[in-house]
Structures are given as structure tokens and as C-alpha cells.
Coordinates of all heavy atoms in Angstrom, one line a residue:
M1 N 23.8 0.2 18.4 CA 22.8 0.2 17.3 C 23.2 -0.7 16.2 O 24.4 -0.7 15.8 CB 22.7 1.7 16.8 CG 21.6 1.9 15.8 SD 21.4 3.6 15.5 CE 20.7 3.5 13.9
T2 N 22.3 -1.4 15.6 CA 22.6 -2.3 14.5 C 22.0 -1.8 13.2 O 21.1 -1.0 13.2 CB 22.0 -3.7 14.8 OG1 22.3 -4.5 13.7 CG2 20.5 -3.6 15.0
N3 N 22.7 -2.2 12.1 CA 22.2 -1.8 10.8 C 21.3 -2.8 10.2 O 20.8 -2.6 9.1 CB 23.4 -1.6 9.9 CG 24.3 -0.4 10.2 OD1 23.7 0.6 10.7 ND2 25.5 -0.4 9.8
K4 N 21.0 -3.8 10.9 CA 20.1 -4.9 10.4 C 18.7 -4.4 10.5 O 18.2 -3.9 11.5 CB 20.3 -6.1 11.3 CG 19.5 -7.3 10.8 CD 19.7 -8.5 11.6 CE 18.9 -9.7 11.1 NZ 19.1 -10.9 11.8
R5 N 18.0 -4.4 9.4 CA 16.6 -4.0 9.3 C 15.7 -5.1 9.6 O 15.9 -6.3 9.2 CB 16.3 -3.4 8.0 CG 17.1 -2.1 7.7 CD 17.0 -1.6 6.3 NE 16.0 -2.1 5.5 CZ 15.4 -1.5 4.5 NH1 15.8 -0.3 4.2 NH2 14.5 -2.0 3.8
T6 N 14.6 -4.8 10.3 CA 13.6 -5.9 10.6 C 12.6 -6.0 9.4 O 12.5 -5.1 8.6 CB 12.8 -5.5 11.9 OG1 12.1 -4.3 11.6 CG2 13.7 -5.3 13.1
E7 N 11.9 -7.1 9.4 CA 10.9 -7.3 8.4 C 9.9 -6.2 8.4 O 9.4 -5.8 7.3 CB 10.3 -8.7 8.5 CG 11.2 -9.8 8.2 CD 10.5 -11.2 8.3 OE1 9.3 -11.2 8.4 OE2 11.2 -12.2 8.3
I8 N 9.5 -5.8 9.5 CA 8.4 -4.8 9.6 C 8.9 -3.4 9.1 O 8.2 -2.7 8.4 CB 7.9 -4.6 11.1 CG1 6.5 -3.9 11.1 CG2 8.9 -3.9 12.0 CD1 5.4 -4.7 10.6
E9 N 10.2 -3.1 9.3 CA 10.7 -1.9 8.7 C 10.7 -1.9 7.2 O 10.4 -1.0 6.5 CB 12.1 -1.6 9.2 CG 12.2 -1.2 10.7 CD 13.6 -1.2 11.2 OE1 14.5 -2.0 10.8 OE2 13.9 -0.3 12.1
I10 N 11.1 -3.1 6.7 CA 11.1 -3.3 5.2 C 9.7 -3.2 4.7 O 9.4 -2.6 3.6 CB 11.8 -4.6 4.9 CG1 13.3 -4.5 5.2 CG2 11.6 -4.9 3.4 CD1 14.0 -5.8 5.2
A11 N 8.7 -3.8 5.4 CA 7.3 -3.8 5.0 C 6.8 -2.4 4.9 O 6.1 -2.0 4.0 CB 6.5 -4.7 5.9
F12 N 7.1 -1.6 6.0 CA 6.6 -0.2 6.0 C 7.2 0.6 4.8 O 6.6 1.4 4.2 CB 7.0 0.5 7.3 CG 6.1 0.1 8.5 CD1 6.6 0.0 9.7 CD2 4.8 -0.2 8.3 CE1 5.8 -0.4 10.8 CE2 4.0 -0.6 9.4 CZ 4.5 -0.7 10.6
E13 N 8.5 0.4 4.6 CA 9.2 1.1 3.5 C 8.6 0.7 2.2 O 8.3 1.6 1.3 CB 10.7 0.9 3.5 CG 11.4 1.6 2.5 CD 12.9 1.4 2.5 OE1 13.5 1.4 3.7 OE2 13.5 1.2 1.5
S14 N 8.3 -0.5 2.0 CA 7.7 -1.0 0.8 C 6.3 -0.4 0.6 O 5.9 0.0 -0.5 CB 7.6 -2.5 0.8 OG 6.9 -3.0 -0.3
S15 N 5.5 -0.3 1.7 CA 4.2 0.3 1.6 C 4.3 1.8 1.2 O 3.4 2.2 0.4 CB 3.5 0.2 3.0 OG 3.3 -1.1 3.3
V16 N 5.2 2.5 1.7 CA 5.4 3.9 1.4 C 5.7 4.0 -0.1 O 5.1 4.8 -0.8 CB 6.5 4.6 2.2 CG1 6.8 6.0 1.7 CG2 6.0 4.7 3.7
M17 N 6.6 3.2 -0.6 CA 7.0 3.2 -2.0 C 5.8 2.9 -2.9 O 5.6 3.5 -3.9 CB 8.2 2.3 -2.3 CG 9.5 2.7 -1.5 SD 10.0 4.4 -1.9 CE 10.4 4.3 -3.6
Q18 N 5.0 1.9 -2.4 CA 3.8 1.5 -3.2 C 2.8 2.7 -3.3 O 2.3 3.0 -4.3 CB 3.2 0.3 -2.5 CG 2.3 -0.5 -3.4 CD 1.9 -1.8 -2.7 OE1 2.0 -1.9 -1.5 NE2 1.6 -2.8 -3.6
Y19 N 2.6 3.4 -2.2 CA 1.7 4.5 -2.1 C 2.2 5.6 -3.1 O 1.4 6.2 -3.8 CB 1.5 5.1 -0.7 CG 0.7 6.3 -0.7 CD1 -0.7 6.1 -0.7 CD2 1.2 7.6 -0.7 CE1 -1.6 7.3 -0.8 CE2 0.4 8.7 -0.7 CZ -1.0 8.5 -0.8 OH -1.8 9.6 -0.8
L20 N 3.5 5.9 -3.0 CA 4.0 7.0 -3.9 C 3.9 6.6 -5.3 O 3.6 7.5 -6.2 CB 5.5 7.2 -3.5 CG 5.7 7.9 -2.1 CD1 7.2 8.0 -1.8 CD2 5.1 9.2 -2.0
S21 N 4.0 5.4 -5.7 CA 3.9 4.9 -7.0 C 2.4 5.1 -7.5 O 2.1 5.6 -8.6 CB 4.3 3.4 -7.1 OG 4.5 3.1 -8.4
I22 N 1.5 4.7 -6.6 CA 0.0 4.9 -6.9 C -0.3 6.4 -7.1 O -1.0 6.8 -8.0 CB -0.8 4.3 -5.8 CG1 -0.7 2.8 -5.8 CG2 -2.3 4.7 -6.0 CD1 -1.3 2.1 -4.6
L23 N 0.3 7.2 -6.2 CA 0.1 8.7 -6.3 C 0.6 9.3 -7.6 O 0.0 10.1 -8.2 CB 0.7 9.4 -5.1 CG 0.5 10.9 -5.0 CD1 -0.9 11.3 -5.0 CD2 1.2 11.4 -3.8
K24 N 1.8 8.8 -8.0 CA 2.4 9.3 -9.2 C 1.5 9.0 -10.4 O 1.2 9.8 -11.2 CB 3.8 8.7 -9.4 CG 4.5 9.2 -10.6 CD 5.8 8.5 -10.8 CE 6.5 8.9 -12.0 NZ 7.8 8.3 -12.2
Y25 N 1.0 7.8 -10.4 CA 0.1 7.4 -11.5 C -1.2 8.2 -11.4 O -1.7 8.7 -12.5 CB -0.3 5.9 -11.4 CG -1.1 5.4 -12.5 CD1 -0.6 4.9 -13.7 CD2 -2.5 5.4 -12.4 CE1 -1.4 4.5 -14.7 CE2 -3.3 4.9 -13.4 CZ -2.7 4.5 -14.6 OH -3.5 4.1 -15.6
A26 N -1.8 8.4 -10.2 CA -3.0 9.2 -10.1 C -2.8 10.6 -10.5 O -3.7 11.2 -11.2 CB -3.5 9.1 -8.6
K27 N -1.7 11.2 -10.2 CA -1.5 12.6 -10.6 C -1.5 12.7 -12.2 O -1.8 13.8 -12.7 CB -0.1 13.1 -10.1 CG -0.2 13.4 -8.6 CD 1.1 14.0 -8.1 CE 1.1 14.5 -6.7 NZ 2.3 15.1 -6.3
H28 N -1.0 11.7 -12.9 CA -1.0 11.8 -14.3 C -2.3 11.4 -15.0 O -2.5 11.7 -16.2 CB 0.2 10.9 -14.8 CG 1.5 11.5 -14.6 ND1 2.0 11.8 -13.3 CD2 2.5 11.8 -15.5 CE1 3.2 12.3 -13.5 NE2 3.6 12.4 -14.7
H29 N -3.1 10.6 -14.3 CA -4.3 10.0 -15.0 C -5.6 10.4 -14.4 O -6.6 9.9 -14.9 CB -4.1 8.5 -15.0 CG -2.9 8.1 -15.8 ND1 -2.9 8.1 -17.2 CD2 -1.7 7.6 -15.4 CE1 -1.7 7.6 -17.6 NE2 -1.0 7.4 -16.6
T30 N -5.6 11.2 -13.3 CA -6.9 11.6 -12.7 C -7.5 12.7 -13.5 O -6.8 13.7 -13.9 CB -6.7 12.0 -11.2 OG1 -6.1 11.0 -10.5 CG2 -8.0 12.5 -10.6
P31 N -8.8 12.5 -13.9 CA -9.5 13.6 -14.6 C -9.5 14.9 -13.9 O -9.4 15.0 -12.6 CB -10.9 13.1 -14.8 CG -10.9 11.6 -14.5 CD -9.7 11.4 -13.6
L32 N -9.5 16.0 -14.6 CA -9.6 17.3 -14.0 C -10.8 17.4 -13.1 O -11.9 16.8 -13.4 CB -9.7 18.4 -15.1 CG -8.5 18.6 -16.0 CD1 -8.7 19.7 -17.1 CD2 -7.3 19.1 -15.1
G33 N -10.7 18.1 -12.0 CA -11.7 18.2 -11.1 C -11.7 17.2 -10.0 O -12.4 17.3 -9.0
E34 N -10.9 16.1 -10.2 CA -10.8 15.1 -9.1 C -9.5 15.3 -8.4 O -8.5 15.7 -9.0 CB -10.9 13.7 -9.7 CG -12.3 13.3 -10.1 CD -12.3 11.8 -10.5 OE1 -11.8 11.0 -9.8 OE2 -13.0 11.5 -11.6
D35 N -9.5 15.0 -7.1 CA -8.2 15.1 -6.3 C -7.4 13.8 -6.4 O -7.8 12.8 -6.0 CB -8.6 15.4 -4.9 CG -7.4 15.6 -4.0 OD1 -6.3 15.6 -4.5 OD2 -7.7 15.8 -2.8
P36 N -6.2 13.9 -7.0 CA -5.4 12.7 -7.2 C -5.0 12.1 -5.8 O -4.8 10.9 -5.7 CB -4.2 13.2 -8.0 CG -4.2 14.6 -7.8 CD -5.6 15.1 -7.6
Y37 N -4.9 12.9 -4.8 CA -4.6 12.4 -3.5 C -5.7 11.5 -2.9 O -5.5 10.5 -2.3 CB -4.3 13.5 -2.5 CG -3.0 14.2 -2.8 CD1 -2.9 15.4 -3.6 CD2 -1.7 13.7 -2.3 CE1 -1.7 16.0 -3.9 CE2 -0.5 14.3 -2.7 CZ -0.5 15.5 -3.4 OH 0.6 16.1 -3.8
K38 N -6.9 12.0 -3.1 CA -8.1 11.2 -2.7 C -8.2 9.8 -3.5 O -8.4 8.8 -2.9 CB -9.4 11.9 -2.9 CG -9.6 13.0 -1.8 CD -11.0 13.6 -2.0 CE -11.1 14.7 -0.9 NZ -12.5 15.3 -1.0
V39 N -7.9 9.9 -4.8 CA -7.9 8.7 -5.6 C -6.8 7.8 -5.1 O -7.0 6.6 -4.9 CB -7.6 9.1 -7.1 CG1 -7.4 7.8 -7.9 CG2 -8.8 9.9 -7.6
A40 N -5.6 8.3 -4.9 CA -4.5 7.4 -4.4 C -4.8 6.9 -3.0 O -4.5 5.7 -2.8 CB -3.2 8.3 -4.4
D41 N -5.3 7.7 -2.1 CA -5.7 7.2 -0.8 C -6.7 6.0 -0.9 O -6.6 5.0 -0.2 CB -6.3 8.3 0.0 CG -5.3 9.3 0.5 OD1 -4.1 9.1 0.3 OD2 -5.7 10.3 1.1
H42 N -7.7 6.2 -1.8 CA -8.7 5.2 -2.0 C -8.1 3.9 -2.5 O -8.4 2.8 -2.0 CB -9.8 5.7 -2.9 CG -10.9 4.6 -3.2 ND1 -11.8 4.3 -2.2 CD2 -11.1 3.9 -4.3 CE1 -12.6 3.3 -2.8 NE2 -12.2 3.1 -4.0
V43 N -7.3 4.0 -3.5 CA -6.7 2.8 -4.2 C -5.8 2.1 -3.2 O -5.9 0.9 -3.0 CB -5.9 3.2 -5.4 CG1 -5.1 2.0 -6.0 CG2 -6.9 3.7 -6.5
F44 N -5.0 2.9 -2.5 CA -4.1 2.3 -1.5 C -4.8 1.6 -0.3 O -4.4 0.5 0.1 CB -3.1 3.3 -0.9 CG -2.1 2.8 0.0 CD1 -1.0 2.1 -0.5 CD2 -2.1 3.0 1.3 CE1 0.0 1.5 0.3 CE2 -1.1 2.5 2.2 CZ -0.1 1.8 1.7
T45 N -5.9 2.2 0.1 CA -6.6 1.6 1.2 C -7.3 0.3 0.8 O -7.3 -0.7 1.5 CB -7.7 2.6 1.7 OG1 -7.1 3.8 2.1 CG2 -8.5 2.1 2.8
C46 N -7.8 0.3 -0.4 CA -8.4 -0.9 -1.0 C -7.4 -2.0 -1.1 O -7.7 -3.2 -0.8 CB -9.1 -0.7 -2.3 SG -10.6 0.3 -2.3
L47 N -6.2 -1.6 -1.6 CA -5.1 -2.6 -1.7 C -4.7 -3.2 -0.4 O -4.6 -4.4 -0.2 CB -3.9 -1.9 -2.4 CG -2.7 -2.8 -2.6 CD1 -3.0 -3.8 -3.7 CD2 -1.6 -1.9 -3.1
I48 N -4.6 -2.4 0.6 CA -4.2 -2.8 2.0 C -5.3 -3.7 2.6 O -5.0 -4.8 3.2 CB -3.9 -1.7 2.9 CG1 -2.6 -0.9 2.4 CG2 -3.7 -2.1 4.3 CD1 -1.4 -1.8 2.4
N49 N -6.6 -3.3 2.4 CA -7.7 -4.1 2.9 C -7.7 -5.5 2.3 O -7.9 -6.5 3.0 CB -9.0 -3.4 2.7 CG -9.2 -2.2 3.7 OD1 -8.6 -2.2 4.8 ND2 -10.0 -1.3 3.3
Q50 N -7.6 -5.5 1.0 CA -7.6 -6.8 0.3 C -6.4 -7.7 0.7 O -6.6 -8.9 0.9 CB -7.5 -6.6 -1.3 CG -7.7 -7.8 -2.0 CD -9.0 -8.5 -1.8 OE1 -10.1 -7.9 -1.8 NE2 -9.0 -9.8 -1.5
S51 N -5.3 -7.1 0.8 CA -4.1 -7.8 1.3 C -4.3 -8.4 2.7 O -4.0 -9.6 3.0 CB -2.9 -6.9 1.3 OG -1.8 -7.6 1.8
S52 N -4.9 -7.6 3.6 CA -5.2 -8.1 4.9 C -6.2 -9.2 4.9 O -6.1 -10.2 5.6 CB -5.8 -6.9 5.7 OG -6.1 -7.3 7.0
Q53 N -7.2 -9.1 4.1 CA -8.2 -10.2 4.0 C -7.6 -11.5 3.4 O -7.9 -12.6 3.9 CB -9.4 -9.7 3.1 CG -10.3 -8.7 3.7 CD -11.4 -8.2 2.8 OE1 -11.5 -8.7 1.7 NE2 -12.1 -7.2 3.2
D54 N -6.8 -11.3 2.4 CA -6.1 -12.5 1.9 C -5.2 -13.2 2.9 O -5.1 -14.4 3.0 CB -5.2 -12.1 0.7 CG -6.1 -11.7 -0.5 OD1 -7.3 -12.0 -0.5 OD2 -5.5 -11.1 -1.5
Q55 N -4.5 -12.4 3.7 CA -3.6 -12.9 4.8 C -4.5 -13.7 5.8 O -4.1 -14.7 6.3 CB -2.8 -11.8 5.4 CG -1.9 -12.3 6.5 CD -0.7 -13.1 5.9 OE1 -0.3 -12.9 4.8 NE2 -0.3 -14.1 6.7
T56 N -5.6 -13.1 6.2 CA -6.5 -13.7 7.2 C -7.0 -15.1 6.6 O -7.0 -16.1 7.3 CB -7.7 -12.8 7.5 OG1 -7.1 -11.6 8.0 CG2 -8.6 -13.5 8.5
K57 N -7.3 -15.1 5.4 CA -7.8 -16.4 4.7 C -6.7 -17.4 4.7 O -6.9 -18.6 5.0 CB -8.3 -16.1 3.3 CG -9.6 -15.4 3.3 CD -10.1 -15.1 1.9 CE -11.3 -14.3 1.8 NZ -11.7 -13.9 0.4
E58 N -5.5 -17.0 4.4 CA -4.4 -17.9 4.4 C -4.1 -18.5 5.8 O -3.9 -19.7 5.9 CB -3.1 -17.2 3.9 CG -3.0 -17.0 2.4 CD -1.8 -16.3 2.0 OE1 -0.8 -16.4 2.7 OE2 -1.8 -15.8 0.9
E59 N -4.2 -17.7 6.8 CA -4.0 -18.1 8.2 C -5.1 -19.1 8.6 O -4.8 -20.0 9.3 CB -3.9 -16.9 9.1 CG -2.6 -16.1 9.0 CD -2.6 -14.8 9.8 OE1 -3.6 -14.5 10.4 OE2 -1.6 -14.1 9.7
E60 N -6.3 -18.8 8.2 CA -7.4 -19.7 8.5 C -7.3 -21.1 7.9 O -7.6 -22.1 8.4 CB -8.8 -19.1 8.2 CG -9.2 -17.9 9.0 CD -10.4 -17.2 8.5 OE1 -10.9 -17.5 7.4 OE2 -10.8 -16.3 9.2
N61 N -6.8 -21.1 6.6 CA -6.6 -22.3 5.9 C -5.4 -23.1 6.5 O -5.4 -24.3 6.3 CB -6.3 -22.0 4.4 CG -7.6 -21.5 3.7 OD1 -8.7 -21.8 4.2 ND2 -7.4 -20.8 2.6
D62 N -4.4 -22.4 7.1 CA -3.3 -23.1 7.7 C -3.7 -23.9 8.9 O -3.0 -24.8 9.3 CB -2.2 -22.2 8.0 CG -1.5 -21.7 6.7 OD1 -1.7 -22.3 5.6 OD2 -0.7 -20.7 6.8
D63 N -4.8 -23.5 9.6 CA -5.2 -24.1 10.8 C -5.8 -25.4 10.6 O -6.1 -26.1 9.9 CB -6.2 -23.2 11.6 CG -5.4 -21.9 12.1 OD1 -4.2 -22.0 12.3 OD2 -6.1 -20.9 12.4

């Protein structure tokens, strides 16, 4: 077994930390009556979707 981490492992860990950061913010700033988990899920999903679209555009431009 090696201690060397792959890029994908680092990316997953970074994504988890990013989600937790969004959730922490949502818990402190979500109005009463709204679910901070739903807000965090929505924001994180939008962020991932936008990142994916940007990556696709970059790859298309490289061709």
C-alpha cells in the first residue's frame, strides 16, 4: 500500500470540504423555516454543474 494520493482522491476530499463550508454558511444565514441542508445541496449542485460545463467548454476549445 502506498501513501501517495491520487488526483481524484484529492478532488473528492476538496469537494467534501467545499460542501461542508457551504453547509456551515447556510446554517448561519438561512432564514427560519428553510432547510439549510436543502439550500447547501442546491448551491453545491449548481456549483458542480457550472464547473462541469466550464470544463466541457475548455475541452471543446482545446480541440
Side-chain angles (χ1 to χ4, degrees):
M1 185 172 155
T2 178
N3 288 334
K4 186 176 180 182
R5 294 170 17 152
T6 64
E7 288 182 15
I8 197 74
E9 289 172 327
I10 294 168
F12 284 146
E13 184 177 317
S14 176
S15 295
V16 169
M17 296 305 293
Q18 198 168 28
Y19 177 80
L20 292 174
S21 195
I22 293 168
L23 179 59
K24 181 179 178 182
Y25 183 87
K27 283 183 175 181
H28 285 58
H29 298 283
T30 301
L32 290 176
E34 287 189 43
D35 184 1
Y37 290 94
K38 285 185 179 182
V39 172
D41 289 352
H42 176 74
V43 170
F44 185 73
T45 302
C46 289
L47 181 67
I48 294 298
N49 286 338
Q50 185 61 49
S51 177
S52 177
Q53 289 174 7
D54 291 347
Q55 183 66 33
T56 301
K57 287 178 185 175
E58 284 179 22
E59 289 172 359
E60 288 173 353
N61 289 338
D62 287 345
D63 290 340

